[in-house]
Amino acid sequence: MEIRMQTNLAPATPVRLALPAPATFALPQFVSTFSDSLIAAVREQNPPVYEGQCHPARDRVLDGLKRKPFDAQRNTVQAVSALLVDANEPAAIINAEMGTGKTMMAIATAAVMHEEGYRRTLIISPPHLVYKWRREILSTVPGARVWVLNGPDTLRKLLAIRATMRPAEVPEFFVLGRVRMRMGYHWRAAFSARRTVYRDELGALHHARYAACPDCGEYLIDPDGEGQPLSPELARVALEERRLSCTHCGSRLWTLVRKRGAVRPKREIVLDALQKLPTIGEKTAQRLLSGFGEDLLGSMLEDNVFEFINLMDENGDLVFSDRQAVRMERALSATEFSFGQGDYQATEFIKRYLPQGYFGLLVVDEGHEYKNEGSAQGQAMGVLARKCRKTLLLTGTLMGGYADDLFYLLWRLNPTAMVQDGYRVNARGSLGTAAQSFMRDHGVLKDIHKETTSVSHRTSKGESKSDRTSKGAGFGPKGVMRYVLPWTVFLKLAEIGGNVLPAYKEHFVEVAMSDDQASAYERLSGSLRAELRQALAKGDTTLLGVVLQVLLAWPDCAFREERVVHPRSRSLLAFQPPVFDEQTWTPKERELLDLCKREKARHRKVLAYTVYTGTRDTTARLKRLLESEGFRVAVLRASVEAVKREDWVADQVERGVDVLLTNPELVKTGLDLLDFPTIAYMQSGYNVYTLQQASRRSWRIGQKQDVDVYFFGYGATAQMACLELMAKKIAVSQSTSGDMPESGLDILNQNEDSIEVALAKQLMA
């Protein structure tokens, strides 16, 4: 840099100033160094709604709950209430770490909102957590009324709600399973047939039947038939394609029908319900029905399960033993029996037949599940958010690494703010253009320009150009400031305080393959990469997914032969015979065995995750090998219904299981696996939500032992690239969770300049 200075004593002479070299900071160091200035800037641009000043009236509501929230939970409830009521925002987000008690905080918020005039709370829940919500509400809020809208009698309950429409004097909760929320309904055309008599041109009388509106009696006119009335046959064809209304009076020309023909007798329905309970088989159920009748047993199961558990015979003796009573009580706490029949989309009913604002607060559990653009449950959630006065979204992983993870959630929660920022529906009624703009403004988009030159022409060179855009992991700080901080309350498990939680630590273990295994992997990898390179050179991406899956899975499945065929031509691309027999441990299995031995010596149970539970089933082999070493092993499979998994795991713990094997997808939500303080990932998978949620299954309120999570990965394989990608996506996810990344996978996340390096490019490098 050169600065010229002019004085009266001498001619102008150039003076060179030596400037110091620019300082380089790592991001954590930068935040630590300038934290005061950054916090001051944030406070100036986004004045906090809540700064710890507890509202006395809301504090009294929290003090009146059956279960008192911890101080950190209480502050979260106060902050959310201030945002929704005092700041009058339409929506709020609780982005709390798994195990902090999001359910408890949402229920406490609903109790506070009831006193603020928001009398009814509608909860959207995963179907297997519906009855856990009911249990938590009844054990927290005094005098609360809970309606469960998750069974085939949902329509009956909604009709009863609409018929009463009375003021809510006590807090009322309506728990809706998200599958039932979007479930469609069955209908058929509904019209009457009118006979008429007319004369033709020759004066002859004719009789005819025409379709008519069942309410006003007007003929149904064929819009393409020059105003001619429709015959019943033609009307049935026209009305079966879509639901229409009468153009004269507006009455519906369709009606609901049952999915199944005949209505089942109540005795059969109660008989089936009894057999779903533990310790009750067909003979016991028949004996109970013969002794007490279906009406009495049905009313007990629907309304008073404790009366059923303490059922007495004619001699005054308890029908069920203490062991039966304990198991049934645990099962009934997570189950509701519905003896009605009928299907109707609950969202459609609420939208059409309940008044705007009938529900004061909408609570969306596992809110990140509603982020996809075209999902039916996401659209249904948006409809319910517009019908309710306020919305509270609960999540432990607000985003999975990409900016558009947030766009559709934000659009459904607060469309007004998005429109004000210029994100609008285009002329075709799509949000695709707005989502792309949001990605460009706040996320990472990679514009890829490809140009190839061909010399195949005799007189000139041919050029081929192509452009495409792909998204990358990342979310800018401006987006965090604009769309995350103003509406989000963050809570970490470590902030609960009071020694409520033990220590939590993640470990990464790089496992070296055996010599034979490494040689076989090199041959298989080289062969498949050569095939993939040839296919990509021709613009064919068909093999990409096949090659990636094989190279990721084979090191863990080297005990079976691997036959790789082309997905279209079915030609054989590669064949690899087994490297290990049924009795030989693979290196990673040996690492798991050593871990299980260490933990058993410490009287700790191990939860082992494996993503290969289908065609490449590794759970049966792991179970057999571990049992040969004296461990008691159980395998949780998808065949165990979601609502029964908690009871199933409790049974295995009672039987003294040492190791539980399962796919992390089966336990990522709703289960408190406090009996398994050690977790081992045999493979991680690609889903950030699943990995982060499954890792916290045992580090929850109530855990007394330190929690250790281990990630196993074979060195010099595609698994390492997969773990690197997961580490980077977790880092981005944590940046929108009010936290600097501290994952055990961070040891692999060394490239600070790049957020995501495509796995396929790493394989082809």
Side-chain angles (χ1 to χ4, degrees):
M1 180 177 181
E2 185 176 280
I3 301 177
R4 295 184 179 273
M5 302 179 65
Q6 181 68 44
T7 69
N8 296 325
L9 301 177
T13 56
V15 177
R16 296 184 179 274
L17 299 180
L19 299 180
T24 302
F25 291 91
L27 181 58
Q29 182 186 357
F30 176 83
V31 173
S32 175
T33 303
F34 301 103
S35 58
D36 293 339
S37 300
L38 291 172
I39 292 174
V42 170
R43 286 179 175 274
E44 182 179 351
Q45 296 178 31
N46 291 284
V49 174
Y50 174 76
E51 295 187 272
Q53 66 282 9
C54 292
H55 193 287
R58 294 166 191 166
D59 249 356
R60 286 193 293 272
V61 174
L62 298 178
D63 290 335
L65 298 177
K66 296 179 183 178
R67 295 188 302 157
K68 306 299 187 292
F70 295 111
D71 290 341
Q73 294 175 326
R74 182 183 293 263
N75 280 327
T76 301
V77 173
Q78 288 275 5
V80 168
S81 303
L83 184 67
L84 294 176
V85 180
D86 301 339
N88 198 29
E89 291 288 350
I93 301 171
I94 294 181
N95 190 358
E97 209 167 18
M98 283 66 73
T100 51
K102 291 187 288 293
T103 303
M104 169 68 179
M105 289 184 283
I107 294 171
T109 301
V112 170
M113 296 294 285
H114 176 268
E115 297 301 319
E116 297 285 352
Y118 299 84
R119 300 296 186 183
R120 300 176 184 87
T121 300
L122 176 64
I123 300 167
I124 305 175
S125 163
H128 64 286
L129 301 181
V130 165
Y131 308 112
K132 184 178 180 181
W133 270 98
R134 180 188 65 174
R135 184 177 69 221
E136 295 281 328
I137 293 168
L138 294 176
S139 63
T140 303
V141 182
R145 298 188 62 198
V146 183
W147 297 67
V148 173
L149 307 175
N150 195 51
D153 62 348
T154 296
L155 177 59
R156 175 173 65 85
K157 291 180 178 178
L158 286 171
L159 289 170
I161 292 169
R162 183 184 179 223
T164 55
M165 297 293 287
R166 51 176 178 71
E169 298 177 357
V170 298
E172 291 190 352
F173 296 83
F174 302 79
V175 189
L176 176 61
R178 70 173 178 226
V179 174
R180 179 66 55 178
M181 167 185 74
R182 60 176 171 80
M183 185 176 291
Y185 49 89
H186 299 265
W187 59 276
R188 61 174 175 80
F191 56 88
S192 61
R194 287 180 53 188
R195 292 183 177 274
T196 185
V197 179
Y198 67 93
R199 294 181 181 273
D200 60 16
E201 297 177 352
L202 300 177
L205 289 175
H206 295 273
H207 296 270
R209 296 172 69 247
Y210 294 109
C213 173
D215 288 346
C216 66
E218 288 290 324
Y219 290 128
L220 305 184
I221 305 300
D222 183 3
D224 301 325
E226 299 182 355
Q228 296 298 318
L230 287 169
S231 66
E233 294 76 19
L234 292 177
R236 186 167 290 106
V237 173
L239 295 176
E240 281 183 352
E241 295 181 357
R242 50 198 179 111
R243 300 187 300 274
L244 299 176
S245 300
C246 175
T247 56
H248 185 263
C249 68
S251 298
R252 292 180 305 183
L253 299 176
W254 55 274
T255 186
L256 296 174
V257 294
R258 297 187 185 277
K259 185 167 61 176
R260 294 172 294 273
V263 178
R264 296 176 63 200
K266 186 174 182 179
R267 184 180 180 86
E268 290 184 12
I269 299 174
V270 176
L271 180 66
D272 289 346
L274 289 171
Q275 294 180 69
K276 292 179 181 177
L277 296 174
T279 75
I280 296 182
E282 183 177 1
K283 291 184 179 179
T284 304
Q286 291 283 8
R287 187 173 69 252
L288 290 171
L289 281 172
S290 300
F292 299 96
E294 61 267 21
D295 291 331
L296 176 62
L297 293 176
S299 63
M300 287 182 179
L301 290 175
E302 273 195 308
D303 300 325
N304 196 335
V305 294
F306 295 104
E307 185 178 343
F308 175 78
I309 293 172
N310 298 311
L311 194 63
M312 294 184 180
D313 59 18
E314 57 186 8
N315 299 322
D317 298 326
L318 291 171
V319 173
F320 304 115
S321 66
D322 291 342
R323 178 178 174 274
Q324 285 179 301
V326 170
R327 294 194 62 187
M328 284 194 293
E329 183 174 359
R330 189 168 61 209
L332 287 167
S333 67
T335 310
E336 183 188 59
F337 294 100
S338 303
F339 300 112
Q341 298 180 63
D343 288 309
Y344 190 82
Q345 186 175 350
T347 307
E348 184 78 9
F349 187 97
I350 293 171
K351 182 179 75 172
R352 287 175 176 268
Y353 302 114
L354 293 181
Q356 185 73 24
Y358 179 81
F359 298 108
L361 178 67
L362 172 67
V363 176
V364 184
D365 194 11
E366 302 297 339
H368 56 269
E369 299 283 355
Y370 303 88
K371 66 182 178 63
N372 293 330
E373 173 189 7
S375 70
Q377 66 184 23
Q379 294 171 354
M381 186 273 276
V383 170
L384 294 179
R386 290 190 291 272
K387 287 291 291 186
C388 300
R389 296 166 62 188
K390 303 288 182 180
T391 302
L392 175 61
L393 186 136
L394 311 178
T395 182
T397 47
L398 184 57
M399 67 178 297
Y402 300 101
D404 60 351
D405 291 344
L406 278 177
F407 175 78
Y408 292 101
L409 268 181
L410 295 170
W411 180 267
R412 288 158 184 156
L413 290 175
N414 195 349
T416 302
M418 302 298 284
V419 171
Q420 289 174 351
D421 289 350
Y423 304 113
R424 295 182 174 85
V425 177
N426 60 24
R428 299 187 303 274
S430 170
L431 282 171
T433 307
Q436 191 85 342
S437 299
F438 187 83
M439 282 287 292
R440 288 201 178 277
D441 293 341
H442 306 290
V444 176
L445 281 179
K446 296 178 285 188
D447 295 321
I448 302 170
H449 177 73
K450 183 178 180 181
E451 183 174 324
T452 58
T453 302
S454 173
V455 294
S456 59
H457 300 286
R458 294 189 177 184
T459 58
S460 64
K461 292 183 178 180
E463 293 185 353
S464 174
K465 298 180 180 180
S466 64
D467 296 283
R468 64 184 180 89
T469 301
S470 63
K471 66 180 182 179
F475 193 61
K478 180 181 176 182
V480 175
M481 289 284 294
R482 177 69 181 94
Y483 300 108
V484 178
L485 292 182
W487 302 313
T488 308
V489 180
F490 302 101
L491 182 62
K492 298 293 177 184
L493 273 168
E495 297 170 1
I496 297 293
N499 297 320
V500 173
L501 285 168
Y504 173 90
K505 190 173 183 180
E506 295 181 350
H507 313 265
F508 171 72
V509 181
E510 182 174 347
V511 183
M513 290 189 289
S514 67
D515 294 339
D516 292 342
Q517 186 183 14
S519 299
Y521 179 82
E522 285 299 321
R523 290 194 301 271
L524 182 64
S525 176
S527 174
L528 290 178
R529 282 191 290 181
E531 294 282 353
L532 178 59
R533 190 175 288 109
Q534 292 179 11
L536 293 177
K538 300 174 183 177
D540 182 8
T541 59
T542 307
L543 289 181
L544 189 58
V546 175
V547 172
L548 293 182
Q549 286 301 319
V550 170
L551 294 185
L552 282 172
W554 184 84
D556 288 298
C557 307
F559 55 85
R560 63 189 292 274
E561 68 176 28
E562 190 71 41
R563 186 182 298 272
V564 188
V565 297
H566 196 286
R568 286 206 304 261
S569 65
R570 312 305 299 172
S571 61
L572 183 65
L573 299 178
F575 175 77
Q576 175 60 49
V579 175
F580 303 97
D581 58 31
E582 293 299 319
Q583 286 75 39
T584 304
W585 294 72
T586 67
K588 192 184 284 189
E589 290 168 347
R590 182 68 61 181
E591 287 286 346
L592 177 64
L593 173 63
D594 293 342
L595 175 65
C596 292
K597 287 181 176 179
R598 293 196 305 269
E599 297 307 292
K600 187 173 183 179
R602 299 168 59 197
H603 306 289
R604 290 162 61 96
K605 302 181 187 298
V606 176
L607 171 62
Y609 290 137
T610 173
V611 300
Y612 301 123
T613 54
T615 304
R616 298 184 176 93
D617 186 17
T618 57
T619 54
R621 173 182 167 88
L622 287 171
K623 183 176 187 294
R624 185 181 67 255
L625 290 174
L626 290 170
E627 286 179 339
S628 69
E629 294 289 329
F631 292 96
R632 293 183 179 180
V633 184
V635 180
L636 174 60
R637 299 190 181 276
S639 55
V640 179
E641 294 181 36
V643 296
K644 297 180 179 179
R645 286 172 191 162
E646 187 176 25
D647 186 60
W648 185 92
V649 172
D651 283 343
Q652 304 307 315
V653 173
E654 285 182 5
R655 295 170 185 172
V657 69
D658 299 311
V659 183
L660 176 63
L661 301 171
T662 188
N663 190 314
E665 290 286 346
L666 301 182
V667 298
K668 65 180 181 180
T669 58
L671 291 183
D672 298 335
L673 303 178
L674 302 178
D675 296 291
F676 299 87
T678 301
I679 297 176
Y681 277 89
M682 301 300 283
Q683 309 88 26
S684 69
Y686 277 103
N687 193 316
V688 171
Y689 298 118
T690 299
L691 187 143
Q692 290 187 276
Q693 299 225 25
S695 299
R696 302 296 199 273
R697 284 304 95 200
S698 60
W699 197 48
R700 311 176 76 78
I701 294 174
Q703 180 61 268
K704 304 300 181 185
Q705 304 181 67
D706 292 349
V707 175
D708 291 288
V709 180
Y710 293 83
F711 296 91
F712 295 122
Y714 278 117
T717 68
Q719 292 183 3
M720 298 300 292
C722 175
L723 288 170
E724 288 178 16
L725 176 58
M726 290 299 293
K728 293 169 185 176
K729 293 176 74 175
I730 288 172
V732 176
S733 175
Q734 289 183 332
S735 71
T736 57
S737 300
D739 197 14
M740 293 299 293
E742 293 179 354
S743 168
L745 295 177
D746 277 353
I747 190 173
L748 301 172
N749 190 13
Q750 300 299 326
N751 186 358
E752 295 180 352
D753 296 328
S754 173
I755 296 176
E756 176 185 349
V757 178
L759 180 57
K761 289 183 179 180
Q762 293 190 26
L763 292 174
M764 298 303 297

